[in-house]
Amino acid sequence: MCKSDTLSAAGGSLTCHRCDRRYPRAAAGYIDLLDVDGERAPATAAQRFMESELVARIYERFWRPFMVRALAGPGAAGAAGGFAGELFIHKNALGVDDRAGPWLDLSCGPGLFTRAFAAAAPGQSIIGLDISRPMLEEAAKRTRAYPNVTLVRADAHDLPFADRQLGGVNNAGALHVYDDPDQVFREVFRVIRPGGVYVGSTFVDAARLTSRLASRLSGIRRYDPHELRAQLSRVGFAEYEEVRLGDGFVFKAKKP
């Protein structure tokens, strides 16, 4: 909270030597780095859903597949070969198993990608970060078999990492619920090392009136890929690439 450069680990807690604040690992299995009095409250229906214990429990099996079909179209999952195909795109774009980490799975939810990356690169440090307690509680249960995983509760708009520390950031299916995506892009750019990559996925800005109305009511934001490329370029990213999957797409950008 005081923006110290380092925290030291001891006895299952992290301690700041500047302000003496301690961040103990929660009994649920993650480290909570948020100031309760200063954290963001869920502002939209979509954000509130992500804070729901029920949604956290059913996210992988039911909620995520339903939302992908609803927002990216019924053909998207088939075009990607299901989650296995989507994971293949993300993992290979990041280079998790052949480049140096640590790797951040940003807005990790219950740890679907976190676990896959940890299994693919057992010698690398994988950090799963989310703002939702229920999501992290589920992630903790499902990552117990992976000693290279650390789970952190923090805000994507204010990442708790020093500059240029990460090999890359994965950001699957979360851009549509952020309050300020440009701030998230700035934070991701800040924490990635030069040569590191940012890989994410989100949904295309559909021209259908009903989709736009539903987006306004729910708080779900859709993206024009050309504008997203321009947003990332303004932050400093280069070498933008994308793969379209129905009305969804996976993108990759590099920090020069």
Side-chain angles (χ1 to χ4, degrees), residues 51 54 186 229 234 244 246 256:
E51 298 274 358
L54 174 60
R186 287 190 289 270
R229 179 174 190 162
R234 287 194 294 269
R244 288 287 295 269

Side-chain angles (χ1 to χ4, degrees), residues 38-245:
E39 66 182 81
R40 295 167 183 250
T44 66
Q47 291 173 357
R48 288 191 292 273
F49 270 114
M50 294 300 102
E51 298 274 358
S52 161
E53 292 183 8
L54 174 60
V55 171
R57 288 196 296 269
I58 67 172
Y59 180 83
E60 290 187 8
R61 188 171 180 182
F62 299 109
W63 185 259
R64 190 177 194 275
F66 167 76
M67 291 302 292
V68 168
R69 286 194 297 271
L71 295 175
F83 174 69
E86 185 184 4
L87 172 63
F88 179 84
I89 295 171
H90 280 258
K91 185 171 73 71
N92 282 276
L94 282 164
V96 170
D97 48 1
D98 59 15
R99 296 178 57 246
W103 302 97
L104 173 63
D105 188 16
L106 181 59
S107 300
C108 66
L112 188 61
F113 285 87
T114 313
R115 298 193 305 274
F117 297 153
Q124 299 275 8
S125 176
I126 312 295
I127 303 163
L129 184 150
D130 208 291
I131 199 170
S132 167
R133 289 186 179 92
M135 288 292 186
L136 287 170
E137 289 167 6
E138 288 298 318
K141 295 174 187 175
R142 301 175 191 190
T143 57
R144 287 173 181 161
Y146 302 96
N148 56 330
V149 169
T150 301
L151 298 175
V152 174
R153 182 169 181 260
D155 190 335
H157 300 79
D158 187 16
L159 296 176
F161 308 109
D163 298 353
R164 301 181 297 279
Q165 294 298 304
L166 303 179
V169 173
N170 184 66
N171 194 191
L175 289 184
H176 57 282
V177 297
Y178 292 148
D179 292 333
D180 185 351
D182 283 321
Q183 174 60 20
V184 174
F185 297 150
R186 287 190 289 270
E187 280 292 278
V188 169
F189 186 84
R190 178 182 65 80
V191 301
I192 294 177
R193 292 193 299 268
V197 294
Y198 177 34
V199 176
S201 56
T202 189
F203 304 104
V204 176
D205 183 12
R208 297 183 296 273
L209 178 61
T210 53
S211 296
R212 291 184 174 181
L213 177 60
S215 295
R216 286 196 295 271
L217 293 174
S218 66
I220 293 175
R221 177 185 287 104
R222 288 177 177 264
Y223 285 81
D224 179 334
H226 298 292
E227 177 55 29
L228 177 61
R229 179 174 190 162
Q231 287 177 274
L232 293 172
S233 178
R234 287 194 294 269
V235 170
F237 284 106
E239 299 182 37
Y240 178 90
E241 303 173 33
E242 69 181 56
V243 176
R244 288 287 295 269
L245 304 169

